[in-house]
Each structure stands twice: as structure tokens, then as C-alpha cells.
Amino acid sequence: MRSKRLTVIESESAFMNNYTLVILIVVMVAFMWWSSTSRKKQMAKMEQEKRDQLAAVKPGEWVRTRVGFWGRFVDLDGDIIVLETTDGHEMYWEREMIAEIGGQPPLADTEQADALETAVETAEEDEKVLGLDEPTGTDEQQK
């Protein structure tokens, strides 16, 4: 039996295939490293912008969290933010949970709330005038 020996042309072809494969792997690793580095830089930049924005917030400004909670900014202590609810209670949130600063919450304006209260009071007075909330005694007669 003869052992199969590669010819010079076949050995050069195999070497070139291996060389090309190594180059492709190096290029792919370099691209992945570059992509990861640029993403980390972008995330660090966004994080710094968020920190600067939170440092510039004045007490009393509206802040929205990522879960949809609206509160007034009270204080910033490191990574903890203190927000005040509309009824005066203070809540503590992590800095990462802040989504928007300085917007307007989707609350009804005070004028609209006053108009609604006036309409409800007027409706209650109308019902009393019509006698809808007073017992008439007809229920007792029917039994």
C-alpha cells in the first residue's frame, strides 16, 4: 500500500484555505470587540447625560418613572431620588427608574376638577328637589 502524499499544489491550496479561515476569524473577533467597545462608550455617555440632567433638576419639577408614576422631585441622594405624590407622601426611587424629567403629568387641571365638582353638586341638588333620594313609603304599602 502506498501512502497518499500531497502534491505541492494541493499543500499550497490547503495552506491558503487555512490562512483565509484564520483571517476571517480574526476579522470577526476584531469587529465584535469594536462593536462592544462602541456600545459601552455610548452607554457611558447616556449615563453621564442622565446624571447631569438629574443634578440640574430643581425641587418641585415633575418626574415620570419607567413604570408610569408621576411625582414631584424633592431630593437627590446619590442614586436614590425622593419623589412626592400629589397627596404629600414621599417615595424613594432608584435613579435608573427615572424616565422623564420636567414633563407635565396627565392629571386633570384644577379648573376642570372644580367644574366637575360643581356639576356633581348641582346634580345632587337636582335629585333632592325631585325627591329621588327620599323614601316615599310606597314600598311599605306594596308589602
Side-chain angles (χ1 to χ4, degrees):
M1 287 184 131
R2 286 183 161 181
S3 64
K4 187 174 180 184
R5 297 176 93 187
L6 296 176
T7 63
V8 174
I9 296 173
E10 290 175 342
S11 65
E12 286 179 9
S13 176
F15 176 74
M16 291 302 286
N17 285 340
N18 289 340
Y19 187 66
T20 306
L21 182 64
V22 169
I23 290 175
L24 285 175
I25 290 173
V26 168
V27 167
M28 287 176 44
V29 168
F31 178 74
M32 289 175 19
W33 175 79
W34 175 77
S35 176
S36 173
T37 304
S38 64
R39 186 174 63 242
K40 286 179 183 176
K41 286 180 183 177
Q42 185 179 14
M43 292 296 288
K45 182 181 176 184
M46 288 174 53
E47 192 72 22
Q48 185 61 37
E49 288 176 0
K50 184 72 112 174
R51 285 184 188 272
D52 294 342
Q53 190 179 23
L54 282 173
V57 176
K58 296 177 183 84
E61 286 190 56
W62 285 102
V63 175
R64 182 178 61 88
T65 64
R66 289 185 182 180
V67 295
F69 172 76
W70 284 91
R72 289 192 183 267
F73 178 79
V74 176
D75 192 19
L76 173 67
D77 185 21
D79 284 345
I80 302 296
I81 295 174
V82 181
L83 300 179
E84 182 181 38
T85 63
T86 54
D87 59 354
H89 292 92
E90 291 184 351
M91 299 177 73
Y92 298 94
W93 294 85
E94 289 187 17
R95 182 183 47 79
E96 291 88 22
M97 291 298 294
I98 303 303
E100 180 183 346
I101 298 172
Q104 285 298 322
L107 302 174
D109 293 335
T110 55
E111 294 175 6
Q112 291 176 348
D114 292 340
L116 182 63
E117 288 177 14
T118 306
V120 170
E121 290 173 0
T122 306
E124 289 174 357
E125 290 174 4
D126 290 344
E127 289 177 4
K128 289 179 183 176
V129 170
L130 296 174
L132 297 175
D133 57 345
E134 297 175 5
T136 57
T138 57
D139 291 336
E140 294 174 6
Q141 294 174 353
Q142 291 177 355
K143 291 182 182 178

